[in-house]
Amino acid sequence: MAAKNQNDKKTTSSEEVFSPNTPSVMDTKPIDLGQIEVLQILNEHGEVDKGLEPNLSDEVLLSTYRSMVLARAFDNRMLTMQRQGRMGTFAPNFGQEACIIGQVTSLTKDDWFAPSYRSFGAQIMRGWSLEHLMRLWAGFHDGFPPPDDVNDLPFSIVIGSHVLPAVGIGMGMNYKKKKDCVVVNYGDGASSQGAVSEALNFAALYKAPVVFVCENNGWAISTPASKQTVNQTFAAQGVAHGMPSIRVDGNDILAMMCATKEATDRARNGSGPTLIEAITYRMSLHTTADDPTVYRNEDEVTVWEKRCPIMRFATYLVNKGLLDVQTIEETLASCEEEAIVARDKFYAMDPADPTEIFDHLYESVPKELETQREEYLDRKSTRLNSSHKPISYAVF
């Protein structure tokens, strides 16, 4: 990608689109929605565009680097636990660390974040402990609510369903005249969901302070991005709904931070929503229940491995004199140790209590459900007290 100046944007006027020479509906091709800005600050070799380089403190740069490394350490630890049968299915974010973490670096404590299920790098930055996220992925109901004083929505497995509530939060901010904003992310596959289009429309119409981040990682499980949309870009969906839109190199942490900062500033000052298409790549599995070798060429993965967001950022920091071999190794070791400590805390937590399955459906338990609970508890007690050895179920 090459960075383009905001002033170089091409616009398409209504006179051009609806001129007398406009073809009939049956003859139309995808409308040229104008040139959409593309932003890259660090190329895949870690070389920086000095004209676009943000003025970030050494402390911010190094803490951001560590956050990316920690997200990958968590990823690797979770994968090991899953392969050992001690963790449930989860969605790795390997290769998307810059895209995910860059979304939330400009958010304040009062802002909101609505994540999809591959966002734990951002969730960690927002205040979720590693063991809390392990609890979540292991299926414990107490793992889903965010920590106290963290304005995050629980992630949704139902594709795209969390985008509308995020817009609702933004509309509520306007109603209460708050100068806060919401960042919500979703994948290229979720862009085909009607709920996402509805969310874009409502946000644009009501100038909701929402930043939409479409994570274009190339694949919606086994469906390539080319089969999701006839347009060349997902950012065109934002333009079509009347909001500023930009394509960003999602493996460039500096570009993600800058694009999100500009978008959150716009949202807070009352200028409405922005759509960011973050172009990245899912270098690992869709989830641990997936085998990507069935549907994609590994040569494609090899190309993207050279665009690794962590290696790219590390090269930049080495060139700035902020990292060297020793500090890189120390960062890797400390992040690995943090993931292991979290794993041990998770293993030490109480197992699931099956009696709690009745506790979170109704404020006042109806008689029918109360009867079912009593029957279940009676059978459970009888079974445990019988002479037959109970079946041992692993709690994932």
Side-chain angles (χ1 to χ4, degrees):
M1 296 180 186
K4 297 183 183 297
N5 190 287
Q6 180 78 18
N7 297 326
D8 293 336
K9 287 183 179 179
K10 174 185 174 183
T11 59
T12 305
S13 69
S14 58
E15 288 79 13
E16 291 174 314
V17 174
F18 298 109
S19 69
N21 296 324
T22 299
S24 68
V25 173
M26 296 301 293
D27 298 330
T28 55
K29 296 180 180 180
I31 297 174
D32 179 5
L33 298 171
Q35 182 176 344
I36 296 172
E37 182 183 4
V38 177
L39 178 64
Q40 182 189 67
I41 299 175
L42 283 181
N43 66 19
E44 61 188 76
H45 305 295
E47 299 164 341
V48 65
D49 185 326
K50 290 293 186 180
L52 297 172
E53 183 178 16
N55 183 24
L56 299 173
S57 69
D58 294 349
E59 181 182 3
V60 168
L61 291 171
L62 288 173
S63 65
T64 302
Y65 170 72
R66 189 181 190 282
S67 294
M68 295 170 67
V69 174
L70 181 59
R72 186 165 293 187
F74 179 82
D75 217 337
N76 289 331
R77 182 53 49 190
M78 287 279 285
L79 184 60
T80 298
M81 293 164 67
Q82 195 276 336
R83 295 310 192 221
Q84 293 173 340
R86 306 193 72 175
M87 178 56 61
T89 297
F90 84 103
N93 85 162
F94 186 75
Q96 295 185 218
E97 294 88 357
C99 165
I100 290 168
I101 288 172
Q103 298 171 27
V104 297
T105 53
S106 63
L107 293 183
T108 70
K109 186 176 180 180
D110 294 326
D111 295 324
W112 280 76
F113 179 53
S116 56
Y117 49 77
R118 206 183 303 277
S119 303
F120 48 76
Q123 289 174 294
I124 294 168
M125 285 200 74
R126 293 280 291 167
W128 296 64
S129 70
L130 303 190
E131 59 269 23
H132 189 153
L133 290 169
M134 289 176 180
R135 190 88 172 169
L136 184 162
W137 280 105
F140 292 86
H141 66 81
D142 54 19
F144 277 83
D148 293 340
D149 301 321
V150 174
N151 288 340
D152 288 3
L153 292 179
F155 76 71
S156 174
I157 293 293
V158 181
I159 304 299
S161 63
H162 64 297
V163 186
L164 272 171
V167 173
I169 292 173
M171 293 170 66
M173 290 173 177
N174 281 348
Y175 181 77
K176 294 184 176 181
K177 302 188 184 307
K178 291 187 174 182
K179 298 297 182 181
D180 304 319
C181 67
V182 184
V183 169
V184 56
N185 64 36
Y186 57 93
D188 47 285
S191 69
S192 297
Q193 293 292 328
V196 173
S197 292
E198 294 173 23
L200 293 170
N201 188 54
F202 268 87
L205 182 61
Y206 291 97
K207 299 188 74 172
V210 180
V211 179
F212 298 92
V213 181
C214 177
E215 298 174 355
N216 179 2
N217 67 11
W219 294 90
I221 310 183
S222 59
T223 301
S226 61
K227 293 187 180 296
Q228 290 291 340
T229 177
V230 70
N231 285 309
Q232 293 182 342
T233 73
F234 290 95
Q237 295 177 349
V239 177
H241 283 88
M243 68 182 69
S245 303
I246 183 173
R247 304 188 85 203
V248 178
D249 182 345
N251 283 15
D252 173 359
I253 184 64
L254 296 184
M256 284 299 303
M257 293 171 74
C258 288
T260 308
K261 176 65 166 59
E262 181 178 339
T264 54
D265 286 348
R266 286 190 68 258
R268 292 192 193 98
N269 69 25
S271 298
T274 301
L275 190 149
I276 298 171
E277 178 188 356
I279 303 167
T280 181
Y281 192 77
R282 193 196 79 215
M283 292 203 295
S284 184
L285 315 161
H286 171 72
T287 70
T288 49
D290 173 46
D291 178 8
T293 62
V294 173
Y295 54 79
R296 73 181 184 188
N297 191 323
E298 287 303 296
D299 291 341
E300 177 183 314
V301 181
T302 302
V303 170
W304 278 92
E305 285 175 346
K306 298 176 182 178
R307 300 169 181 168
C308 170
I310 296 179
M311 290 195 310
R312 181 186 307 195
F313 193 38
T315 299
Y316 167 72
L317 295 177
V318 168
N319 292 339
K320 285 181 70 70
L322 297 179
L323 280 184
D324 55 28
V325 173
Q326 179 179 347
T327 53
I328 289 174
E329 291 178 349
E330 289 173 351
T331 302
L332 292 171
S334 67
C335 289
E336 175 64 16
E337 178 62 22
E338 187 171 339
I340 291 174
V341 169
R343 176 204 63 187
D344 293 342
K345 287 181 179 178
F346 166 71
Y347 286 162
M349 291 178 179
D350 292 336
D353 180 358
T355 66
E356 293 178 347
I357 62 175
F358 297 93
D359 293 344
H360 304 283
L361 296 175
Y362 298 94
E363 181 178 1
S364 299
V365 180
K367 181 62 178 176
E368 181 182 3
L369 191 60
E370 184 65 42
T371 301
Q372 291 179 20
R373 176 164 59 184
E374 291 174 358
E375 181 181 352
Y376 168 75
L377 293 177
D378 182 63
R379 288 188 178 187
K380 179 174 179 292
S381 176
T382 301
R383 183 180 185 186
L384 291 176
N385 293 329
S386 69
S387 59
H388 299 288
K389 184 177 179 181
I391 299 174
S392 177
Y393 292 97
V395 177
F396 291 139

